[in-house]
Amino acid sequence: MAGTVYVPICVYYLMFFFKFGYVPSNFFLAAIVPLVKNKSGDLCDANNYRAIALSNAISKIFEGLLCDYIESIDDVDLYQFGFSRGLSTGMCSYAFKNTVNLYRQNGSHVFCCFIDFNKAFDSVDYWLLFCKLLDCNDTNECYLTRLLAYWYSHQQMFICWQNIQSECFGIANGVRQGSLLSPFLFRFYVRDLFKAVVSSGIGCCVAGTFINILAYADDIVLMAPSWRGLQKLLGILEEASTAIGMTFNTKKTVCIIFNPCDKRKMVFSDFPQFVLAKCNFTFVSQFKYLGHIIEHSFSDDADIFRELKLLFAKTNLLIRRFARCTSDAKVKLFRSFVLCFYDIALWNNFQQASLKKLVSGYVESLKLFFGFPKYSSVTAMLMQLRLPSFDTVLHNAKVSFCVRLKCVKNGLFDVLGLH
């Protein structure tokens, strides 16, 4: 309660400082550092870079105070897994897979479209965002909106590239990637989009709750048990996105059809293409969603092979850079760099042959990095290094995921019976 009272007072006094020019100019200044999205892509393409804004210490401290207050007044958005404490990409993928699998087991198709927006964070219209914030009748939130409006309208940016700084310039739209406030502002900005889709009454529904849209930040997936239903959802999404000035990246937006588990209940094998923003989308057999490969057969084999390739890539990197380190240092490097397998707790449907290849790759990487002979005993090797077997790693990952899942307050998990 103390934080809820204290922060609005800070906002009020800072507005006073803004009005009479007592705030230093550095408060409004931020450096933009371009980061490469895909290192194997075209490094000369401006679209292959993500602009990260680095704020100064003064503004970061104030943003931290505002975030504490904002979290105390913000309601929980069930369908947005990004920017929420305790939630993760794995939990979003888990909710998606369980929703789809529930329909498949009950003899239904599931039509899914993975939406990608064009520069979602950079497309935020400031004044439309502030109007949405002003729709809240709370007096404290009005002070917050006035402060943000003044702050964002006076902010200055400069680009830092290879130790060279550009001249300062102002910007008229977009929330700064890397800012503490940007996640909340973006989530608030797209909230009407989620409301439009959920309130349509179209798409997947479990126990009276519609689960027709899931998102992690701007990575959105739409779900419907019928072709016509998903096409209507795409139309609703397009209309809601146009209202807030967001456009779609049609090159990265894809569709997948999940067939029923019982092949006798398949309605049809070929379906017409979906249309979004006057573009037709072909169906793909697999798609990498939030780092996890989703296959139309609902198999995790492709995701296992993804981890296998990544395992050898990490091991080769360690060998090149740290081959001469001591054994203790190598163990710490291996634990922190190699044992961080991504979302392996989600693996439920796979062939044992695929998992055995990953287990063999894990043993092989240990032998290569630590210099053990080819026919060394796996058990003796693990005991000497005090490292877990892959079965232990997989088991621990599943237990840890279940523990975190029980601590999360999200009504969708209650509906799906996952708590």
Side-chain angles (χ1 to χ4, degrees):
M1 188 66 182
T4 307
V5 176
Y6 172 71
V7 176
I9 294 176
C10 291
V11 173
Y12 178 79
Y13 280 111
L14 193 61
M15 281 295 299
F16 175 81
F17 294 148
F18 277 167
K19 183 177 180 180
F20 293 98
Y22 294 147
V23 178
S25 58
N26 289 341
F27 186 88
F28 303 98
L29 193 62
I32 296 179
V33 179
L35 296 182
V36 180
K37 293 181 180 179
N38 183 12
K39 293 182 179 180
S40 60
D42 185 5
L43 298 181
C44 297
D45 184 7
N47 295 320
N48 194 28
Y49 290 84
R50 178 179 288 106
I52 302 298
L54 303 180
S55 304
N56 54 75
I58 302 175
S59 59
K60 282 188 176 181
I61 292 173
F62 186 71
E63 284 182 342
L65 294 174
L66 288 183
C67 285
D68 292 338
Y69 171 65
I70 287 170
E71 288 183 358
S72 68
I73 63 174
D74 187 27
D75 59 341
V76 177
D77 191 345
L78 298 180
Y79 304 92
Q80 175 61 270
F81 286 76
F83 320 128
S84 299
R85 186 172 298 178
L87 297 178
S88 64
T89 56
M91 292 182 181
C92 184
S93 300
Y94 189 61
F96 166 76
K97 295 184 71 173
N98 278 274
T99 302
V100 173
N101 198 41
L102 183 63
Y103 270 82
R104 292 179 65 248
Q105 291 178 350
N106 285 276
S108 173
H109 291 273
V110 181
F111 299 83
C112 297
C113 187
F114 298 90
I115 306 295
D116 188 81
F117 288 102
N118 282 319
K119 301 183 181 300
F121 275 72
D122 298 333
S123 301
V124 174
D125 187 327
Y126 286 162
W127 304 112
L128 180 58
L129 171 63
F130 299 146
C131 287
K132 290 178 179 290
L133 290 171
L134 285 173
D135 288 338
C136 301
N137 296 322
D138 188 272
T139 305
N140 292 328
E141 292 181 31
C142 291
Y143 283 124
L144 174 62
T145 304
R146 290 171 59 189
L147 170 62
L148 291 175
Y150 189 93
W151 188 355
Y152 274 69
S153 61
H154 288 77
Q155 64 180 342
Q156 293 287 311
M157 301 280 189
F158 66 90
I159 299 175
C160 184
W161 177 254
Q162 294 184 352
N163 297 324
I164 300 176
Q165 295 182 1
S166 69
E167 296 182 356
C168 294
F169 57 90
I171 56 175
N173 61 284
V175 290
R176 296 172 295 174
Q177 298 191 51
S179 169
L180 296 176
L181 281 177
S182 295
F184 164 76
L185 296 177
F186 180 78
R187 185 172 60 179
F188 197 92
Y189 187 73
V190 299
R191 184 169 295 176
D192 290 341
L193 186 150
F194 291 92
K195 290 181 179 178
V197 174
V198 175
S199 61
S200 66
I202 304 172
C204 295
C205 180
V206 180
T209 300
F210 279 93
I211 311 180
N212 51 7
I213 183 171
L214 293 173
Y216 191 92
D218 60 330
D219 292 319
I220 295 176
V221 56
L222 297 178
M223 299 173 288
S226 65
W227 184 93
R228 187 175 297 274
L230 183 58
Q231 184 59 66
K232 288 183 178 179
L233 288 179
L234 289 172
I236 294 171
L237 183 71
E238 182 177 3
E239 183 178 355
S241 301
T242 303
I244 59 176
M246 295 182 65
T247 59
F248 302 99
N249 186 344
T250 55
K251 295 181 179 179
K252 293 184 178 180
T253 299
V254 299
C255 299
I256 295 181
I257 302 176
F258 298 98
N259 295 323
C261 295
D262 189 351
K263 295 183 179 180
R264 296 173 298 178
K265 295 184 179 181
M266 288 182 59
V267 176
F268 202 62
S269 58
D270 295 323
F271 292 89
Q273 294 179 341
F274 289 104
V275 180
L276 177 65
K278 298 181 181 180
C279 294
N280 296 328
F281 297 104
T282 57
F283 299 105
V284 297
S285 59
Q286 66 179 31
F287 179 71
K288 191 175 184 179
Y289 180 63
L290 301 178
H292 185 77
I293 298 180
I294 307 292
E295 288 194 272
H296 76 287
S297 61
F298 227 64
S299 171
D300 293 315
D301 291 336
D303 199 57
I304 292 176
F305 285 115
R306 173 189 63 81
E307 280 294 340
L308 180 60
K309 292 179 181 179
L310 189 59
L311 173 65
F312 283 118
K314 291 178 178 180
T315 303
N316 290 332
L317 180 62
L318 289 179
I319 292 173
R320 289 197 304 269
R321 296 186 178 182
F322 306 103
R324 297 183 180 181
C325 290
T326 63
S327 179
D328 291 339
K330 286 185 175 181
V331 170
K332 291 181 179 180
L333 288 168
F334 194 86
R335 283 184 178 275
S336 59
F337 192 62
V338 179
L339 291 184
C340 52
F341 295 100
Y342 182 75
D343 280 349
I344 62 175
L346 302 181
W347 294 345
N348 290 314
N349 183 24
F350 53 84
Q351 296 182 359
Q352 288 298 322
S354 299
L355 187 62
K356 287 181 179 179
K357 289 183 180 179
L358 183 56
V359 174
S360 300
Y362 177 74
V363 174
E364 185 67 21
S365 64
L366 284 171
K367 293 179 179 179
L368 290 174
F369 184 49
F370 291 97
F372 286 96
K374 183 177 180 180
Y375 297 103
S376 299
S377 170
V378 177
T379 303
M381 182 174 59
L382 293 174
M383 290 182 64
Q384 178 180 340
L385 298 174
R386 296 181 180 180
L387 289 173
S389 65
F390 187 82
D391 291 338
T392 303
V393 173
L394 182 59
H395 172 77
N396 292 342
K398 289 182 177 292
V399 171
S400 176
F401 184 82
C402 291
V403 171
R404 287 186 286 114
L405 192 64
K406 291 180 180 179
C407 298
V408 171
K409 296 180 180 179
N410 189 297
L412 293 184
F413 292 134
D414 294 329
V415 172
L416 294 170
L418 302 179
H419 270 158

